[in-house]
Amino acid sequence: MTAGIVDPLREPFRLRYLTLRNRVVSTSHEPAYAEGGLPKERYRAYHVEKARGGVGLTMVGGSAVVAPDSPPAFGNLELHRDEIVPWLRAMADEVHEHGAAIMCQVTHLGRRTSNYDGDWLPLIAPSPLREPAHRSFPKVAEQWDLDRIARAYADGAARCRDAGLDGIELEAYTHLLDSFWSPLTNRAGDPYGGSLEERLRFPLQVIRAVRESVGPDYIVGIRMSFDEDAPGGLEQDAALDVARRLVAEGLDFISAIKGHMASDEALSRVIPPMGTPVAPHLELAGAVRRELRVPVMHAARINDVSTARHAIRDGYLDLVGMTRAHIADPHIVAKIERGDEDRIRPCVGATYCLDEIYQARDAKCIHNPSTGRETALPHTVDRAVRARTAVVVGAGAAGLEAARVLAERGHRVVVLEAADAAGGQLLLASAAPRRRDLIGVVDWRLGECEILGVEIRYGVFAGPAEVLAEGPDVVVVATGGLPNTDFLVEGADLVSDSWDVMSGSFRPSGAVLLFDDNGGHPGMDAAEVLALGGADLEIVTPERVLAPDVGGVNYPGYFRVFAEHDVRITLNERLVAVRRSAGRLEVDLYNEYAHVTRNRSFDQVVVEHGTLPQDELYHALVPGSSNLGEVDHAALLASRPQAVERNPGGGYQLFRIGDAVSSRNVHAAVFDAFRLCRVL
């Protein structure tokens, strides 16, 4: 910010009795860090780090469930249990010690979970309509169900108050409360269907029960959709009418959303990934603020400080949600305050955080390995006692992270890169227009390396002589891998690979087969480029679903392109051989279920089967190293320095990381580099 001008993001905000130190919020979301439904050490450390990093308000429990017939769908907190109170209190106390406020999102999931989980109780909803995403058929709620659940909401809210949290947020988009007022989900008759008054009967019962339970002064807000963005769904004017009636019951703030979450495609519009416009729903949130005259917060792809500042300065929002941005860098506000805004680790919109949850794992940032691992891996790097010379070979994600961390440690770092630019495989991945923001993973590290004095030499195809000429104490080999076509029993020399497609060296012509048994983004990126390039494309995979490692927010973008360009998809078949025949390529496709092989013909064949390590340099350097390349796994996992000495006459420690070890992803590459190098 220009000297003398007050940064709108840093202005305090008064929310009833509570003064927030700034306008920046990490909105409610579920990282799946709970242990047995409770926010124990890992969950607490994740939110405390954001408080330490300067956020004004961190919101937990996306969403905390109030009853056993709302079993956790994403590792949710179980707010119906009394034993959650001391865990919430410990988290609230520590967040408060660092100057931030903390609230909890509270919900009953309704049909947005599985009846084949938890206690196997039937799910409830106003109508027996199945949610596509979670695939369970709910029973129609009876009066005793609704009375019971209203009490459960009240009790859950009281637990939050008793734990010292500053307030709660009721969740009401694609969950139970809004399923009553939404025309998409309520087809009931009297007394809970029909007119708006009838459809609001149960939600108002809940709000009144909550307010009676926590008292008139406790902060209670709601997160709701103001346009369900679906045929027959709730539209803006009707949603505003609903909100006015809810606010009249004593709600203190609104968290405004656009869309619904009943399908993966719909969710990908509520939580937009990379390749979509920045802050696409900000105008809607601004309209809500103008119409309702109640404090409004909003989060949807507000990834950068400039957009967040615009949202506050120009009156769209009172509080701006930078939720995925804080997963990438929990110290956003602290860096703004000390003049390091340009050093904020960017959220590139990859939404790997949600992809991991959709794989029944837990949230991880694609390029911040400390997020979710705060109890073991701090977000900062301490300086080493003694400076050493380190040579890093390769300037992809792994190599640049190694260089950055080693330089933070105070070591002299030289990076040798064979290409004329940094980035490695990320340069290829970001060549797809929708995935271009991935280059931010590279650009941020290049900026940090420049600040830290790392020397990067391009156009150096490093052999042992080039490495040893630097007199290294440590050598980190991050040379990546090359496309693997060795799986074919015949015809490896006849196929192209996904790198050829992404680099632009492959020109599609005629009927193109893309075989993908990697199951992640690389094959889908190549398929999208081929489809947009006019290829007559068929994707073949041995999996029972396409791209099983691409999560629910990201795959709809690919599928949309495939549908628009008539891409054919064949499941359950494995490419085993390719040969020339009559001017075309004849392929053998094996189906292991039927144990049969089909012969088909294409004009071109592209394969995606991961990479094989480029490890020649590593193996050439092993004999001269003190550790002979060995990694002490126990020390690595305990964040202790590597002290293996297999060769006392060796002149340097030698390690390899990322795809130079095996074919993996970006997160694995930076995780390898960070946890190894932060203690070297």
Side-chain angles (χ1 to χ4, degrees):
M1 294 293 293
T2 304
I5 298 178
V6 177
D7 186 347
L9 290 179
R10 297 175 59 191
E11 292 178 345
F13 183 76
R14 183 80 175 175
L15 183 60
R16 292 202 67 177
Y17 71 87
L18 180 66
T19 299
L20 301 175
R21 60 182 170 182
N22 57 57
R23 305 296 188 95
V24 181
V25 179
S26 173
T27 56
S28 303
H29 61 289
E30 185 46 68
Y33 298 158
E35 299 172 48
L38 302 175
K40 296 186 178 180
E41 287 83 358
R42 185 186 184 196
Y43 203 110
R44 180 170 73 244
Y46 168 69
H47 283 282
V48 168
E49 193 68 37
K50 288 181 280 190
R52 185 180 290 116
V55 74
L57 167 65
T58 189
M59 305 183 78
V60 307
S63 309
V65 296
V66 299
D69 62 345
S70 174
F74 308 104
N76 309 60
L77 300 180
E78 296 177 17
L79 196 55
H80 52 86
R81 298 164 53 190
D82 288 338
E83 56 264 46
I84 200 172
V85 173
W87 293 104
L88 287 174
R89 183 180 297 116
M91 180 164 51
D93 288 348
E94 197 166 353
V95 166
H96 289 152
E97 286 174 11
H98 290 285
I102 182 170
M103 298 186 188
C104 183
Q105 188 181 78
V106 178
T107 200
H108 190 292
L109 292 164
R111 65 178 191 156
R112 188 171 169 75
T113 184
S114 172
N115 52 262
Y116 302 129
D117 207 347
D119 295 309
W120 283 57
L121 293 170
L123 308 183
I124 67 164
S127 303
L129 304 176
R130 183 191 203 188
E131 189 207 44
H134 289 83
R135 308 181 68 249
S136 292
F137 293 96
K139 82 160 193 172
V140 175
E142 300 176 67
Q143 184 64 56
W144 62 270
D145 286 313
L146 301 180
D147 292 342
R148 167 181 58 83
I149 291 170
R151 290 195 302 273
Y153 267 101
D155 292 343
R159 291 186 183 98
C160 292
R161 179 203 59 199
D162 294 345
L165 273 65
D166 297 295
I168 65 165
E169 172 185 80
L170 301 172
E171 164 69 298
Y173 73 112
T174 323
H175 287 205
L176 183 62
L177 289 183
D178 62 292
S179 70
F180 278 86
W181 69 62
S182 170
L184 290 175
T185 46
N186 189 345
R187 300 179 185 174
D190 295 342
Y192 291 102
S195 69
L196 181 58
E197 287 73 15
E198 291 168 332
R199 289 185 284 122
L200 284 175
R201 189 184 305 272
F202 173 64
L204 292 178
Q205 178 185 356
V206 167
I207 292 172
R208 290 163 184 160
V210 166
R211 181 53 79 191
E212 182 178 359
S213 175
V214 298
D217 297 325
Y218 195 64
I219 295 173
V220 179
I222 195 165
R223 193 176 205 183
M224 63 174 285
S225 174
F226 285 83
D227 178 355
E228 289 188 309
D229 197 19
L234 197 72
E235 296 181 346
Q236 184 173 335
D237 288 345
L240 286 167
D241 195 9
V242 168
R244 290 186 187 97
R245 299 175 189 231
L246 302 181
V247 169
E249 295 295 328
L251 294 183
D252 300 306
F253 69 88
I254 293 280
S255 182
I257 292 291
K258 179 178 180 180
H260 69 101
M261 303 183 291
S263 70
D264 289 346
E265 192 282 328
L267 180 63
S268 73
R269 287 180 278 127
V270 173
I271 309 174
M274 67 171 57
T276 58
V278 171
H281 310 149
L282 188 56
E283 291 285 347
L284 175 67
V288 171
R289 183 174 184 264
R290 290 192 301 273
E291 290 291 329
L292 294 183
R293 302 294 179 183
V294 66
V296 170
M297 72 174 69
H298 168 68
R301 198 156 154 73
I302 303 177
N303 293 348
D304 63 278
V305 170
S306 295
T307 301
R309 191 171 281 133
H310 156 68
I312 299 297
R313 181 191 59 223
D314 295 336
Y316 291 95
L317 304 175
D318 297 288
L319 299 168
V320 60
M322 301 186 72
T323 307
R324 281 178 287 177
H326 273 84
I327 292 175
D329 191 338
H331 299 161
I332 290 172
V333 177
K335 289 181 179 180
I336 294 172
E337 289 175 345
R338 65 173 182 254
D340 285 339
E341 188 173 319
D342 58 342
R343 299 189 68 179
I344 293 171
R345 187 189 311 245
C347 172
V348 298
T351 317
Y352 185 64
C353 45
L354 278 171
D355 275 5
E356 282 289 274
I357 291 173
Y358 269 76
Q359 298 294 329
R361 292 190 285 260
D362 48 36
K364 300 174 186 70
C365 175
I366 191 173
H367 75 130
N368 187 343
S370 298
T371 295
R373 299 187 179 101
E374 284 84 2
T375 57
L377 291 180
H379 287 263
T380 55
V381 176
D382 295 329
R383 292 185 73 82
V385 174
R386 178 172 62 90
R388 305 166 75 193
T389 294
V391 174
V392 178
V393 185
L400 289 176
E401 177 70 353
R404 178 189 76 85
V405 176
L406 289 167
E408 287 268 23
R409 295 279 288 160
H411 301 310
R412 170 183 175 257
V413 183
V414 176
V415 179
L416 306 178
E417 168 56 46
D420 59 3
Q425 293 182 55
L426 281 171
L427 285 179
L428 296 174
S430 62
R434 195 166 54 81
R435 302 258 289 162
R436 63 184 178 273
D437 288 352
L438 277 174
I439 202 64
V441 174
V442 176
D443 290 343
W444 180 74
R445 284 171 173 79
L446 286 175
E448 289 294 294
C449 284
E450 182 177 0
I451 291 169
L452 295 166
V454 173
E455 182 182 356
I456 303 178
R457 301 177 193 164
Y458 297 105
V460 178
F461 192 84
E466 286 76 15
V467 173
L468 298 179
E470 299 301 319
D473 301 299
V474 177
V475 178
V476 179
V477 176
T479 45
L482 290 173
N484 181 5
T485 59
D486 288 358
F487 67 97
L488 292 169
V489 300
E490 180 184 359
D493 59 321
L494 300 176
V495 302
S496 299
D497 56 64
S498 62
W499 288 26
D500 296 324
V501 174
M502 301 306 293
S503 68
S505 64
F506 178 84
R507 294 287 185 262
S509 176
V512 180
L513 164 67
L514 187 148
F515 174 73
D516 175 29
D517 67 347
N518 192 5
H521 285 281
M524 295 302 95
D525 286 341
E528 182 172 355
V529 169
L530 289 169
L532 293 173
D536 178 13
L537 180 62
E538 181 172 347
I539 304 172
V540 175
T541 177
E543 307 283 357
R544 67 172 184 164
V545 296
L546 185 63
D549 289 339
V550 178
V553 173
N554 276 304
Y555 83 74
Y558 295 119
F559 282 26
R560 189 176 305 117
V561 171
F562 299 162
E564 291 169 350
H565 292 82
D566 196 27
V567 173
R568 295 173 301 286
I569 298 169
T570 298
L571 305 176
N572 305 324
E573 297 200 346
R574 180 177 297 279
L575 179 68
V576 294
V578 182
R579 64 187 67 87
R580 290 200 184 277
S581 176
R584 303 190 82 202
L585 295 178
E586 181 181 277
V587 305
D588 292 344
L589 298 175
Y590 176 69
N591 187 303
E592 68 174 309
Y593 301 102
H595 302 292
V596 298
T597 298
R598 292 196 301 153
N599 302 113
R600 295 183 57 196
S601 293
F602 294 86
D603 295 298
Q604 298 171 313
V605 176
V606 177
V607 299
E608 170 49 51
H609 184 72
T611 61
L612 288 173
Q614 292 192 82
D615 54 7
E616 296 86 355
L617 174 63
Y618 167 78
H619 288 295
L621 290 170
V622 165
S625 65
S626 60
N627 61 326
L628 299 180
E630 181 177 336
V631 177
D632 180 344
H633 283 176
L636 181 73
L637 298 180
S639 294
R640 298 195 308 267
Q642 293 291 314
V644 173
E645 187 170 313
R646 295 296 186 193
N647 175 22
Y652 49 87
Q653 289 183 296
L654 174 67
F655 306 99
R656 58 173 168 161
I657 57 176
D659 281 9
V661 179
S662 64
S663 182
R664 290 171 292 161
N665 63 15
V666 177
H667 182 82
V670 297
F671 189 22
D672 271 7
F674 185 81
R675 67 176 167 181
L676 172 72
C677 296
R678 65 171 291 270
V679 291
L680 286 180

